[in-house]
Amino acid sequence: MWTLWRALTGGNDAIVRRREHNQYELVDETGVADPLVTSFATGLIGRGCSPHTVAAYLYDLRLFYRFLAETGLTLSSFRVAHSVELLAWLGAVPCPRARITSFPSAVRTTLSPTSINRAMAAISSFFDHLALADLAGVDRNPLATTQELARGGIARRRARGARRLKRVERIPRPMTREQVDRLLDVIDRPRDRAMILIMLQGGLRPGEVLNLHLDDIEYGRRRVTVRHRIDHPKGVRTKSRTERVVDVHEPEALAAISRYVLEERPRNAPTRHLFLVCGKGKHAYEALSYAALVKMFKRRCATAGLTEPWITPHALRHTHATWLWEGGMRELALQKRLGHVSFESTRTYTRVSDAVMLEEYRRALSRRCEEQADAEQE
């Protein structure tokens, strides 16, 4: 039975042992670390993956090691034919945090297709690492999507292994204006109000907000520069590697940041990070962590009576994007503002409320009502 030390992924039994300098280990029940997984985790960090990504991959590998133990397989004996069996096994794994819906029969008790696809991707990357480093007797990735075949001097490619499951394309849930007003009404602390407003009116991700520096705010030009940073002392990283400039012409956000800097942020703080712990404790000068932001947001939502589980700090970004799309912002402009690399990421917001589709629906409904009225008169 494989376990991990220190809970980072949310499950009760999913624990990661994190050493200094972002070193991660998968250990057995006796506390002995697996050198292959340690090497893989070091490679992920070297490639620039975030600590949360590494922790999630280690949790997925823990499941894979359980599968190998239950089936009597080893890393070197795992073949393409076993991928279907692995998919079926993952599909029966209990979900650590079942999603409760409004329908009792719709309670999910096993891993979702998205979680299974992520696990398969993590295992495939692990095999790529083993083959590249010539470890554990693995010379190829049995979960590779395609395989090169050379027949008669012609290179062909064929599919290999069962890799992905179909998943539900969920649309983001924006907060209503009434929900936003209720949330803002219960926030009086300058720091908290500034963070929430810049996510709501600037569309910044939580990691981008926590990585802002003092000189990233241009009050006169009413804009914020979002830079790619990986030097946050609490391990918070910006998701996108593409830096961008975000114009913030709604006055509340920058006014709230200015108030926070003048009234609450310690003036002699040694760091240039914008959002600090503050207060009078020994950690007042430290940069705020992601966990602290989430905890603050949940506490504020509870005070405002917003108990829906989907209302998270990232929901403020969804709300910002949805409001701009409904206001008429074009897709390419919205993609640039949000910093999306893939255009498909931006298109998810166009499915929330399509103004053209709504207008066509109203026109068709009006025409139908007119036809019914004419029929009744006849």
Side-chain angles (χ1 to χ4, degrees), residues 96-285:
R97 290 184 299 180
R99 176 174 294 178
I100 307 298
T101 68
S102 56
F103 302 96
S105 60
V107 176
R108 172 170 292 281
T109 59
T110 57
L111 295 180
S112 67
T114 301
S115 298
I116 293 175
N117 289 338
R118 188 197 68 188
M120 296 295 285
I123 298 168
S124 180
S125 297
F126 183 49
F127 272 116
D128 281 338
H129 173 78
L130 296 179
L132 181 64
D134 194 19
L135 298 172
V138 176
D139 59 354
R140 66 180 63 183
N141 180 5
L143 294 179
T145 307
T146 57
Q147 180 187 31
E148 293 287 351
L149 297 176
R151 292 180 180 177
I154 300 177
R156 299 180 180 178
R157 300 173 71 87
R158 72 177 183 185
R160 285 173 56 90
R163 289 290 305 280
R164 298 184 64 85
L165 298 178
K166 291 184 178 180
R167 59 186 179 87
V168 177
E169 295 292 339
R170 302 186 184 277
I171 60 176
R173 294 186 180 183
M175 298 174 63
T176 65
R177 296 189 182 274
E178 186 268 339
Q179 290 173 327
V180 170
D181 291 339
R182 285 166 56 188
L183 177 61
L184 293 176
D185 286 343
V186 301
I187 302 176
D188 52 0
R189 182 174 180 178
R191 185 202 65 184
D192 299 349
R193 191 174 185 86
M195 288 192 297
I196 288 178
L197 281 173
I198 196 60
M199 286 188 284
L200 178 66
Q201 297 183 354
L204 273 65
R205 301 179 178 94
E208 294 171 342
V209 171
L210 295 175
N211 273 288
L212 287 176
H213 286 194
L214 288 170
D215 50 5
D216 292 334
I217 312 297
E218 299 180 67
Y219 299 97
R221 304 179 69 179
R222 295 188 293 178
R223 60 174 42 175
V224 175
T225 303
V226 179
R227 307 182 190 277
H228 174 64
R229 292 193 173 100
I230 59 174
D231 60 346
H232 194 282
K234 303 294 179 61
V236 182
R237 297 193 179 194
T238 53
K239 180 178 181 180
S240 176
R241 296 178 180 272
T242 303
E243 299 182 351
R244 69 186 190 279
V245 174
V246 179
D247 295 304
V248 186
H249 287 190
E250 295 178 88
E252 294 85 2
L254 293 184
I257 293 177
S258 177
R259 179 192 171 195
Y260 155 69
V261 173
L262 294 175
E263 298 180 6
E264 186 176 4
R265 187 182 187 277
R267 297 189 178 183
N268 56 344
T271 178
R272 298 296 297 172
H273 282 90
L274 177 60
F275 293 108
L276 308 181
V277 175
C278 301
K280 299 181 180 180
K282 62 179 181 180
H283 302 292
Y285 293 169

